[in-house]
């Protein structure tokens, strides 16, 4: 119950002891609850944000390592397939050899390409392409007739 008293020209309100105790009880239970809730929310938000950031960083790091490994494999394979590499030298000999020698070199080149593909399965389709003749040699998968690598958009 509220009691009004007049002091001069102003009215002063006084509350009963019961109302004051209820207000103190309400404030003493609500203030800690709000503080604990706020602290919990902000700490959980920071933990989850850091965890998400760490997950993204870890994922990007794994992708970078995977790409580095793939580039290293492609570099090693391209060195083997180039004219300075073993397969490249065999191809150069194949282009100038007679028919009997071509058969032996064909088997050797296919064997080495099979080994290269077996050790690097992520490479996919490999072949030698002679653009002036539009001829494909030593493909590791079948290639459709009429396939033209020059018209591909890679």
């Amino acid at each position: 119950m509220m009691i009004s008293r007049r002091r001069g020209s102003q009215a002063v309100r006084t509350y009963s002891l019961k109302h004051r105790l209820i207000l103190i009880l309400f404030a003493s239970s609500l203030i800690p609850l709000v503080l604990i809730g706020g602290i919990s929310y902000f700490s959980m938000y920071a933990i989850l944000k850091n965890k998400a950031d760490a997950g993204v960083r870890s994922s990007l790091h794994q992708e970078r390592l995977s790409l580095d490994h793939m580039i290293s494999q492609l570099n090693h394979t391209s060195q083997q397939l180039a004219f300075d590499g073993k397969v490249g030298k065999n191809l150069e000999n194949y282009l100038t050899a007679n028919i009997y020698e071509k058969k032996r070199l064909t088997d050797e080149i296919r064997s080495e390409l099979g080994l290269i593909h077996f050790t690097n399965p992520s490479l996919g389709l490999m072949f030698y392409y002679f653009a002036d003749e539009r001829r494909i040699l030593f493909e590791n998968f079948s290639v459709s007739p009429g396939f033209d690598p020059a018209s591909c958009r890679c």
Side-chain angles (χ1 to χ4, degrees):
M1 174 180 255
M2 182 173 71
I3 302 172
S4 294
R5 292 186 190 168
R6 288 207 164 230
R7 253 192 207 173
S9 65
Q10 295 178 344
V12 177
R13 294 182 180 173
T14 59
Y15 293 97
S16 68
L17 180 62
K18 178 181 173 184
H19 285 108
R20 284 185 277 176
L21 287 176
I22 290 174
L23 182 65
I24 290 171
L25 180 66
F26 183 70
S28 66
S29 62
L30 189 61
I31 290 172
L33 183 64
V34 169
L35 287 175
I36 290 173
I39 291 170
S40 296
Y41 173 78
F42 287 114
S43 64
M44 288 302 292
Y45 177 79
I47 289 170
L48 291 176
K49 185 173 180 350
N50 290 338
K51 190 174 184 179
D53 289 345
V56 168
R57 253 187 241 106
S58 174
S59 177
L60 288 175
H61 180 71
Q62 288 296 331
E63 287 298 320
R64 189 191 68 152
L65 290 176
S66 175
L67 284 174
D68 285 346
H69 182 68
M70 176 64 75
I71 289 171
S72 173
Q73 284 182 333
L74 288 172
N75 182 35
H76 181 69
T77 302
S78 67
Q79 288 173 354
Q80 289 177 331
L81 297 176
F83 280 117
D84 294 341
K86 186 176 181 184
V87 179
K89 287 179 183 176
N90 284 341
L91 179 65
E92 187 176 5
N93 293 335
Y94 172 85
L95 295 174
T96 59
N98 63 31
I99 195 157
Y100 298 111
E101 189 67 18
K102 279 188 177 186
K103 173 60 176 139
R104 184 188 66 77
L105 288 170
T106 299
D107 292 342
E108 192 172 330
I109 291 170
R110 287 200 183 276
S111 173
E112 290 181 30
L113 286 177
L115 180 63
I116 290 170
H117 181 69
F118 180 74
T119 57
N120 301 301
S122 58
L123 292 178
L125 177 64
M126 294 185 305
F127 55 83
Y128 283 100
Y129 178 68
F130 299 92
D132 53 341
E133 302 171 14
R134 293 185 180 244
R135 185 171 62 149
I136 295 173
L137 287 177
F138 307 116
E139 65 274 4
N140 60 342
F141 293 116
S142 62
V143 179
S144 313
F147 172 72
D148 184 18
S151 66
C152 288
R153 294 181 185 171
C154 300

